[in-house]
Amino acid sequence: MPLIVLLTVLGACDPGGRAIDPRGVAAPVPILGPARDFRVDEDNPAAVWVRSVPTGPEADVIRDRIASRPAAQVVRTAEQVKQAARRAGATNTMSIFTIAPDQPEACGMGHRAWLDGIAAGIAGAPALVVIRVAKGCSVTESRQQLFLSAAETLGALARTIVLLDVSDAISASAAAELIASAGRAVDGFAVNVRGYANEAAATATANGVRDRLLAATGRNDYLMVADSSRNGAPTNGGCNPSGAQVGQNQVLRPERDKLQLLWLTTPGVSDGPCGEAPTSHAGEFVPSLAYTLVA
């Protein structure tokens, strides 16, 4: 099994811009498994925009600082996942997906059928899946039922790491209860998804959830991931706030009980019609917003 060898220089970065934790000398990174790295989605929103415009300073910066970095893909269809998984398998890289079984595409065809299609698309390819659920599909399909259904379906895949997004949990205890209810179907959890909390704050949140999980389940092997896509500077507010900056693209650590940092949002994707992008809609890639995050 190939190993990911981490550099020993404090604060060093690899050629892809990934931050290296010096404590992990010659150690495998559990969150990657046998994959050599996370995959860059060539059709991420920033890359699509860069290809659509003439070369220029703004496009060059967004291409180099955002579009060329691994970030989570928002899953809409099984075919999208199938293509990404095929490319990941061919390059021994791992795709990052955020999957919301309460989105219209899923609820419209029945979330179980939609999830089965997603699982078939991933198949045996390495993938990191973050399950996000804001609400149930109907009065008979609750938010927790969708979480558990997605975890059960995707957790059965041999090379898929499943994380539950508990960013919106009302407390560490509530987050731990949801994660524990999924049993061995999940490998860990994600915090600060689409948020702006810095590493110290995200670590405190994740550790609080981990401690409650340990007390409730006896397990200390849960992976913890924070979205670091926009946590590079202090901000006021959580909706396209001024002063926000991109955070480190990857900080990968060999210890399962240490926080991993990944981009679970593409920088420049709007939170909605607010802040620095008042005329945008949620989920839209706004080039000017992306540029301010890296300029």
Side-chain angles (χ1 to χ4, degrees):
M1 178 182 294
L3 301 182
I4 306 299
V5 180
L6 305 186
L7 303 182
T8 60
V9 181
L10 182 63
C13 290
D14 72 5
R18 181 172 64 206
I20 302 300
D21 188 324
R23 293 170 295 177
V25 180
V29 179
I31 200 165
L32 273 172
R36 64 175 178 82
D37 204 348
F38 287 104
R39 177 178 171 269
V40 177
D41 172 24
E42 58 270 31
D43 292 320
N44 68 66
V48 170
W49 177 80
V50 167
R51 291 198 297 266
S52 72
V53 298
T55 323
E58 185 178 62
D60 291 346
V61 168
I62 291 174
R63 180 194 63 229
D64 295 340
R65 298 283 306 280
I66 297 176
S68 61
R69 305 294 176 91
Q73 296 175 247
V74 177
V75 170
R76 302 295 184 196
T77 67
E79 183 59 28
Q80 170 199 358
V81 170
K82 182 179 179 180
Q83 293 300 321
R86 180 181 59 79
R87 292 164 182 161
T91 55
N92 192 29
T93 55
M94 176 177 277
S95 295
I96 309 173
F97 299 120
T98 57
I99 290 179
D102 59 345
Q103 63 183 285
E105 294 90 340
C107 291
M109 66 181 296
H111 78 272
R112 291 185 184 278
W114 185 81
L115 285 167
D116 286 343
I118 301 302
I122 296 173
L128 175 68
V129 173
V130 179
I131 301 172
R132 290 177 53 83
V133 182
K135 59 185 185 304
C137 278
S138 68
V139 293
T140 59
E141 292 179 315
S142 69
R143 180 173 184 260
Q144 183 169 6
Q145 285 174 315
L146 292 190
F147 257 129
L148 297 181
S149 180
E152 180 182 0
T153 300
L154 299 169
L157 299 174
R159 301 181 70 191
T160 295
I161 292 175
V162 177
L163 308 178
L164 297 188
D165 175 15
V166 294
S167 305
D168 298 330
I170 59 173
S171 67
S173 295
E177 182 178 353
L178 177 62
I179 298 161
S181 69
R184 288 285 174 179
V186 300
D187 301 283
F189 59 92
V191 298
N192 196 47
V193 178
R194 300 183 182 175
Y196 297 86
N198 63 24
E199 183 177 355
T203 298
T205 298
N207 285 346
V209 176
R210 180 201 62 199
D211 291 346
R212 284 160 179 80
L213 279 168
L214 180 60
T217 69
R219 285 181 59 183
N220 62 357
D221 61 343
Y222 286 103
L223 290 166
M224 307 187 300
V225 177
D227 185 353
S228 59
S229 58
R230 303 179 295 181
N231 75 343
T235 61
N236 290 316
C239 196
N240 303 324
S242 63
Q245 292 282 293
V246 295
Q248 296 183 83
N249 180 254
Q250 295 183 58
V251 177
L252 306 180
R253 296 175 170 120
E255 306 97 337
R256 292 184 73 94
D257 62 346
K258 299 298 183 184
L259 189 67
Q260 317 288 321
L261 303 182
L262 294 170
W263 284 6
L264 302 181
T265 307
T266 297
V269 169
S270 174
D271 298 316
C274 54
E276 296 295 289
T279 62
S280 66
H281 60 78
E284 175 188 1
F285 180 76
V286 181
S288 60
L289 189 60
Y291 188 71
T292 63
L293 289 168
V294 295

